Amino acid sequence: MSKSYRSRAITEGVERSPNRAMLRAVGFRDGDFEKPIVGVANGFSTITPCNMGLDILAKRAEATLSLAGAMPQMFGTITVSDGISMGTEGMKFSLVSREVIADSIETVANAQSMDGVIAIGGCDKNMPGALIAMGRLNIPSIFVYGGTIKPGHLEGKDLTIVSSFEAVGAYTAGRMDIETLMEIERHACPGAGSCGGMYTANTMSSIIEAMGMSLPYSSTMAAEDLEKSDSTARSAEVLVNAIKNGLRPRQILTRKAFENAIAVLMAIGGSTNAVLHLLAIAHSVDVPLSIDDFEMIRKKIPVLCNLKPSGAYVATQLHQAGGIPLVMRMLLDRGLLHPDALTITGKTIAEALKDVSGSPPAGQDVVRPFDNPVYPEGHLAILKGNLAPEGSVAKISGIRDRSITGPAKVFNSEEECMKAILGRSIHPGDVVVIRYEGPKGGPGMREMLSPTSALIGEGLGDSVGLITDGRFSGGTYGLVVGHVSPEASVGGPIALIHEGDTITIDANQNRIDLHVSEGEMAERRKKWKAPATAYPHGVMAKYRTLVKSASLGAITD
């Protein structure tokens, strides 16, 4: 065995006898002190269906690690359910949880001098939180996704959690009766697993696979299928080999890996949240990455996958069609991926995809061929202008027109906006503004799934624009612009918009502009005052103090 194991710091030498005594109490025996200590970061909880099956996977990983010659040490890390907290004050804690997850894994792995980490997570922030920790630690690491939920079914149609959000808007608009709404609610989420479309959880699992930090095909498996457990066991074996070979995250998470991830993000039609999370993960490994890189790559990559929320299918159907390896091979064959990027298996991307077909299977419409893509260019556009000098992220899939000019309807919170939408106060041609929901202003940068889903449910998805310094759920689609930076709470231009001002969102020109003179803006700025925070103490107060702009990934270190 290599003498480079970090755990020797607490197991080697006579003076370490007290340390070893503590380890004996948790199962170490003579001879075990020569083995690598591997942390099993277990995101299990019954708070959310995304994570309720993770304990089974963690125990499978633990058993496999032991058989492979390692000493597993399981510990818990938190999760919160974005879907359950959506539209409530609790959603402010969602992005904060990414930092808590990263900090907790980093803390335990360093405190116990662990030689490697296998992190097992399900809900949205588990994945970027784990990857940020792995980047900081730079010890051999692998991620295991808990798996996606299977689609719900009602009257021959596939349902996801977003179906329920959109049903609320449809009911409010008189386009759906209460019994249909309740039937959608009853059938939308049939069991364990993360939200089923190409929303944030499945987006992040897919791009982690694309970056080489999880195993091929693992990102689109269903949570309740046996292959997910088998893939977890294989992941544990691969991690032990990585420890023996000294293969570390910073050898894998290179600039090439991030460019591959962005290419796959665009091809699968993934969530806007991936922009925020990839920036933060890149920061953890000191790889220069900016929002402009997303725009550069977007123009080269077509949207190949016809997936919800703006498409027709869910992640399990992508898996059946060939999963992320199929998408990657299609990109690789056209020179749109870096073939020499390394994976946790020790193979390059080219080697890992050697036996994968680059042609979508016949008789399916989940993955389109290159000559018939869903969209000819990527769906996540970076918009700048006098409303977002640091940038913003627009999701432009599933809409007829990529530009709108209209009067501003201004709201200082998500709740104010929802009240107006449900009160039928938003009309075609309006540009809805939701501000003071940014990283500092929320604090916590809530997702605006409830307002966007309500607009779609009311039939306004194609005729109303929406901008915010908050975020969007992966389930959002329409002419929506998030991450507007600088945010309102630090005096960004979005704070200076008045009701009725004319705003242009133009994704064709990558512009977002307020049609107000510089002189008038200067006068408004003189009168503007930062609002008082609702969280003077506790985790939110700490977060507000530390968090940086969304244009930098809302990092805290």
Side-chain angles (χ1 to χ4, degrees):
M1 286 285 186
S2 166
K3 294 293 183 181
S4 63
Y5 292 142
R6 296 191 338 149
S7 58
R8 297 296 168 82
I10 59 170
T11 62
E12 199 168 65
V14 173
E15 72 278 9
R16 298 301 181 198
S17 184
N19 307 91
R20 293 199 302 271
M22 292 288 287
L23 290 169
R24 288 182 187 277
V26 297
F28 278 64
R29 299 293 181 262
D30 292 345
D32 290 340
F33 300 104
E34 296 297 311
K35 299 175 183 177
I37 295 177
V38 177
V40 181
N42 183 3
F44 166 73
S45 80
T46 57
I47 290 173
T48 166
C50 315
N51 289 52
M52 70 184 193
L54 298 189
D55 208 35
I56 296 170
L57 302 183
K59 289 174 180 175
R60 181 80 186 270
E62 185 180 45
T64 305
L65 286 166
S66 295
L67 290 172
M71 290 303 293
Q73 298 286 280
M74 192 183 299
F75 62 94
T77 186
I78 68 155
T79 195
V80 300
S81 172
D82 291 2
I84 295 172
S85 62
M86 195 72 69
T88 74
E89 187 78 2
M91 187 62 193
K92 293 183 177 182
F93 290 82
S94 168
L95 190 57
V96 178
S97 76
R98 183 188 77 177
E99 308 308 303
V100 177
I101 292 164
D103 292 351
S104 66
I105 295 174
E106 179 190 6
T107 298
V108 174
N110 273 330
Q112 305 308 127
S113 300
M114 289 174 172
D115 300 301
V117 167
I118 180 169
I120 304 171
C123 205
D124 295 8
K125 307 308 172 297
N126 298 175
M127 284 160 278
L131 267 288
I132 290 168
M134 291 171 183
R136 293 175 186 169
L137 288 163
N138 200 33
I139 59 175
S141 306
I142 194 168
F143 185 79
V144 172
Y145 181 41
T148 184
I149 196 171
K150 294 181 179 180
H153 300 285
L154 182 65
E155 297 178 353
K157 294 182 179 180
D158 289 340
L159 300 179
T160 70
I161 183 61
V162 175
S163 306
S164 186
F165 280 97
E166 292 179 1
V168 172
Y171 170 73
T172 302
R175 299 168 64 221
M176 181 180 291
D177 59 51
I178 187 65
E179 184 55 34
T180 302
L181 168 62
M182 294 306 298
E183 282 296 289
I184 290 173
E185 176 192 311
R186 294 181 185 112
H187 291 86
C189 298
S194 298
C195 299
M198 192 46 70
Y199 310 145
T200 301
N202 285 325
T203 296
M204 292 309 301
S205 68
S206 296
I207 61 180
I208 289 171
E209 180 179 326
M211 287 193 290
M213 289 297 293
S214 64
L215 295 188
Y217 299 101
S218 65
S219 65
T220 52
M221 294 174 178
E224 296 178 324
D225 286 352
L226 178 60
E227 65 175 348
K228 172 48 63 179
S229 179
D230 291 342
S231 177
T232 302
R234 176 63 184 148
S235 298
E237 293 169 347
V238 166
L239 177 59
V240 173
N241 285 331
I243 294 170
K244 291 176 180 176
N245 295 323
L247 182 55
R248 299 171 183 268
R250 293 191 179 210
Q251 295 169 261
I252 300 167
L253 296 174
T254 62
R255 170 74 187 201
K256 290 180 179 180
F258 284 97
E259 291 183 358
N260 286 349
I262 296 170
V264 170
L265 167 66
M266 298 299 174
I268 62 177
S271 167
T272 53
N273 282 313
V275 177
L276 202 71
H277 298 326
L278 282 172
L279 290 170
I281 296 166
H283 174 74
S284 77
V285 291
D286 299 318
V287 168
L289 192 71
S290 75
I291 57 173
D292 295 326
D293 293 316
F294 290 81
E295 183 62 29
M296 175 189 69
I297 295 172
R298 177 184 79 85
K299 294 177 179 178
K300 304 176 185 177
I301 308 294
V303 178
L304 299 172
C305 297
N306 184 17
L307 298 168
K308 291 178 181 291
S310 56
Y313 302 101
V314 295
T316 52
Q317 291 164 310
L318 171 59
H319 189 64
Q320 292 161 7
I324 296 305
L326 167 62
V327 177
M328 292 181 70
R329 182 58 189 262
M330 293 173 68
L331 296 172
L332 182 67
D333 286 349
R334 287 155 183 82
L336 297 172
L337 289 185
H338 296 287
D340 56 339
L342 199 60
T343 74
I344 187 62
T345 64
K347 295 180 180 179
T348 64
I349 291 292
E351 291 168 341
L353 299 174
K354 179 171 62 72
D355 298 324
V356 176
S357 171
S359 299
Q364 57 83 44
D365 189 46
V366 184
V367 182
R368 299 273 187 87
F370 256 82
D371 59 3
N372 183 31
V374 181
Y375 303 103
E377 292 183 336
H379 64 301
L380 300 181
I382 304 302
L383 275 54
K384 293 185 177 181
N386 69 354
L387 258 181
E390 290 180 7
S392 61
V393 183
K395 190 172 188 179
I396 55 177
S397 55
I399 54 174
R400 289 194 296 263
D401 297 317
R402 294 188 174 189
S403 65
I404 185 173
T405 297
K409 293 290 185 74
V410 183
F411 306 98
N412 290 335
S413 70
E414 179 186 6
E415 286 82 0
E416 285 184 15
C417 181
M418 275 299 292
K419 184 177 180 180
I421 294 171
L422 297 179
R424 312 298 299 278
S425 298
I426 306 300
H427 307 290
D430 288 342
V431 178
V432 175
V433 179
I434 308 176
R435 63 191 180 190
Y436 297 107
E437 292 284 8
K440 287 183 179 290
M445 205 176 180
R446 283 193 289 187
E447 293 180 347
M448 301 295 125
L449 178 60
S450 293
T452 57
S453 295
L455 288 170
I456 290 167
E458 290 191 8
L460 296 171
D462 286 320
S463 59
V464 169
L466 189 150
I467 71 171
T468 180
D469 52 8
R471 296 183 294 131
F472 292 115
S473 162
T476 295
Y477 65 100
L479 190 55
V480 296
V481 185
H483 309 196
V484 172
S485 302
E487 63 175 290
S489 73
V490 299
I494 192 173
L496 308 179
I497 301 172
H498 285 185
E499 185 83 7
D501 284 347
T502 301
I503 293 173
T504 292
I505 303 169
D506 189 343
N508 296 314
Q509 301 297 320
N510 296 94
R511 299 289 303 181
I512 176 170
D513 290 299
L514 177 66
H515 297 285
V516 172
S517 70
E518 292 184 10
E520 173 63 17
M521 291 290 279
E523 287 300 311
R524 292 182 184 183
R525 188 172 298 283
K526 290 177 184 178
K527 299 175 183 178
W528 177 82
K529 292 182 181 180
T533 178
Y535 293 91
H537 306 291
V539 65
M540 297 301 280
K542 289 187 285 188
Y543 183 80
R544 181 184 173 92
T545 299
L546 293 172
V547 71
K548 306 297 191 300
S549 170
S551 64
L552 300 175
I555 55 175
T556 57
D557 66 322

